[in-house]
Amino acid sequence: MKINHRKLLIEVISAVCIVLSPLEESYAQVDTTEYRLTISEKTINLTGKDRKALAINQQIPGPTLRFEEDGYAVIYVKNDLDVETSVHWHGLILPNYYDGVPYLTTPPIEPGETQKYEFTLRQGGTYWYHSHTGLQEQLGVYGSIVIEPRQRKIEYDTDLVLVFSDWTDENPMHVMKNLKRRNEWYSIKRNTVTPLARVISRGGLGAQLKFWRQRMPGADIADVYYNAFLTNGAKEQEYPDLKPGQKVRVRMINASASTYYWLTFGGETPTLIASDGVDVVPVKRNKTLFAVAETYDFLVTVPENGKIEIRATSMDGAGKTSAFLGAGSIIAAPDVPKPDYVGIMKAMAKMEMKMGAPAMIFNPSTNEGLEKMERYGMQMKGDMSGMKMDGMENKDMGDKSTPSESSMHEGMDMPIQSPTDTLPTPTANPMQHGKMQMNLPQGQKESVLTGVGMGPDQGYDFLKSPEATSFPGDQPVREMVLNLNGNMWRYIWSMNGKVLDEADKIEIKQGEIVRITMNNLTMMNHPMHLHGHFFRVINKNGDYSPLKHTVNVAPMQSITIEFDANEYGDWFFHCHILYHMEGGMARVFSYGTPRDPKLNRYPLSALIKETNKYYFWGVAYGASHMSAVEVTTSNVRSQFNFGVEYGWNNNIESDLSYEYYLSDYFRVYGGLNTENATSGDLSQFNTVAQVGVRYLLPYFINADLGIDNQLRPQLRLSSEYLIFRRVAIFGRYEFRPDFGVFQSPDPVATYRSEQVWNVGVDYIISKNFSLTASHDNRFGTGGGLTVRF
């Protein structure tokens, strides 16, 4: 057997690093800073209602942890919850074991237990920490980190930390379930829906039909309705003790679960001096798109008279939160107009591009990134034929570190180039790409694009590193493409058509440069975060492109990042919109080094399965002419359905089925159907087995083609459309011919058919209740109450 001595040496060194890194760090140091944090439940009231939250040391956000660069951190985290928890130190370069992703790098903190983290502070800047367990971050488990640099390069009088976050009175698990079931309630509450009547009145029917034809519901830029947006735990914060003339370093952290903000400032335009903890060439900037999980530092001068407002306006226009620096009259920040959703939809419809890239591919064992990039969204310029799609992924997401033969072959086929052989990178204006031409006046075009985060001032060209960040020309380069995909119909988010549970590890090697081109083929922004590394965000500044740990990839846009693979172990890479990560948009980058033995009790599968959980929901309808109940439980590929309809005229029908999704919209199913054999008579029932296929057609028409064990085919069509903000119409049609195969040797003589149809209208009162009127050709006409649970 041929031995790869270089690979063996790297693995031995990495194994030693894993064992010794905590040991090396444990030597006493003069500048050790120690903190003790306790995660526990807390009742808070931000909206007039008491709600359960999670807090750190009984505060939201948690305390600011302050350190000195090159100092030593010792942090004890106690879990006072009755469930597991965790803490990830976002943006910090530290030993893999302390990164804080449970079951991947670090054991979870079990109820009643205390976990110790210790590491050297290898950087200065503004960072933060948060739970990486389930949806705990949404409930309040987050806080800020400030690391003073060895040498201060920019002078200021004092600093101020502002942590922005979003708050929902709803249980985050219920939020996720509501997103999974395609309920329009959050958009209705935010008034961001585009009902058909409004679209028609604005001359956008053609645009709406184009969206529906591609199975896109319409233009929207946020998923969740939030009851409040917070600055350091409150809707507004006052800092009157700041003195006139003081120069303040304002350290801003977007710790929201899913909200992007527009940052605006009252008074003089402030100076942006750092991004994600790293210094940038100072630049004057008053309006900045603030992605989830990013940090920005600004220099702000307190005015001689009055107090300046720093305002964070949610990108969807649903709300805002503010901090006021100084005393006296308010010097207000500029308003940010609400997005014009119909205008956005009309503008996007004018683009020559294909939307609706699938979030699930038919065969998860294949890589279809380049194919999907060519078919959907914008086309990248240049020859892409030599690139691979996450080609170094293991075929086993377990704890093994040895890649399969097929993945090794893919890796050997990977082209190795010098760092100067860069990928085609996006131009400053994303509209210049081949499929992104928009025939609109310039002012209107910029206004519309700004609404979705694609405007000319919303890339990263304003960030320039004060020092060159380019890599030496002698390192090998590994290139890959990751397409960001989403399915709002079932709320599944993926990369290259695979959720985390269906994906392989992406294998990388120490000593190489990893270059990733991300193509966002969805209508949502995605803040992509890589644990344990900083990467270059390639922009117009070339060798001076900025370093970041989180980068926003705008809708239908592309961005390229690259990093030095100089670590060991496995590292998480994911969208930092919490519900997108839970929906599957995540990967594991692996150096292929041995797993820390302290994780033996904590299988990686526990993390992987988090993105493929079953969610349960249902609906009940009680009316003057009938009643009905439908329940569903579903994960990424599998779905179980049960429904029963009963009419007061003594007619009943029930369906039980299991369906398996082969792709986003196509699934196969099998089940049972039961109905009374004679209309109006409940003394005898007919039960048949059914198999068939179901498919979501363009224009959101659900189609079902099946056959039962009596060889009777069946066609079902159904759909629902929102015509006013709170009013939806729905309809269903079923046709089942019976050729009498089981009744007579002469099918023609016994041919008959059955048709079932109903139509109705819903007035949506709240997330859980609607007033419904309907007509069914079996049960008659009536009205009543629909309850969603």
Side-chain angles (χ1 to χ4, degrees), residues 187 190-194 198 202 218-222 259-262 287 289 313-320 335-348 444-454 458 523 525 555:
S187 296
R190 300 194 324 265
N191 197 21
T192 60
V193 289
T194 52
R198 184 184 303 173
R202 293 279 308 279
D220 201 0
I221 55 179
T259 302
Y260 279 59
Y261 299 99
W262 285 111
K287 182 184 177 186
L289 183 63
T313 304
S314 65
M315 188 180 179
D316 64 350
K320 63 182 180 178
D335 292 330
V336 177
K338 290 186 177 182
D340 176 3
Y341 291 96
V342 177
I344 291 169
M345 187 166 61
K346 290 169 65 177
M348 297 297 286
Q444 182 183 352
K445 177 170 70 176
E446 292 186 4
S447 173
V448 168
L449 295 177
T450 296
V452 293
M454 295 170 59
Q458 291 165 240
M523 293 296 294
N525 287 272

Side-chain angles (χ1 to χ4, degrees), residues 160-189:
L160 173 67
V161 177
L162 300 180
V163 180
F164 300 112
S165 58
D166 44 28
W167 173 258
T168 171
D169 281 341
E170 194 174 356
N171 183 320
M173 284 300 296
H174 294 167
V175 171
M176 191 69 184
K177 179 179 75 172
N178 203 53
L179 294 169
K180 286 282 187 180
R181 71 184 303 173
R182 305 181 296 281
N183 191 329
E184 291 274 14
W185 177 245
Y186 295 144
S187 296
I188 291 171
K189 283 285 287 182

Side-chain angles (χ1 to χ4, degrees), residues 37 39 56 61-62 65 77 85-91 98-102 109 117 127-138 140-145 163 253-257 292-294 529 531 549-550 572 574-576 578 581:
L37 307 177
I39 300 175
I56 304 173
L65 309 184
V77 181
T85 190
S86 60
V87 176
H88 164 57
W89 314 99
H90 187 104
Y98 293 124
D99 185 57
V101 180
I109 310 173
Y117 301 81
Y127 304 95
W128 63 297
Y129 60 98
H130 59 84
S131 171
H132 230 296
T133 299
L135 301 173
Q136 291 179 358
E137 182 188 327
Q138 176 76 89
V141 187
Y142 52 84
S144 54
I145 298 172
V163 180
I253 301 163
N254 188 351
S256 298
V292 174
E294 289 185 316
H529 171 52
H531 288 223
H549 54 60
T550 304
F572 214 29
H574 61 94
C575 177
H576 220 284
L578 192 57
M581 180 179 71

Side-chain angles (χ1 to χ4, degrees), residues 255-287:
S256 298
S258 66
T259 302
Y260 279 59
Y261 299 99
W262 285 111
L263 291 177
T264 54
F265 299 77
E268 296 181 1
T269 301
T271 303
L272 173 63
I273 58 173
S275 171
D276 285 358
V278 181
D279 290 344
V280 297
V281 174
V283 57
K284 294 284 187 180
R285 194 165 178 86
N286 194 313
K287 182 184 177 186

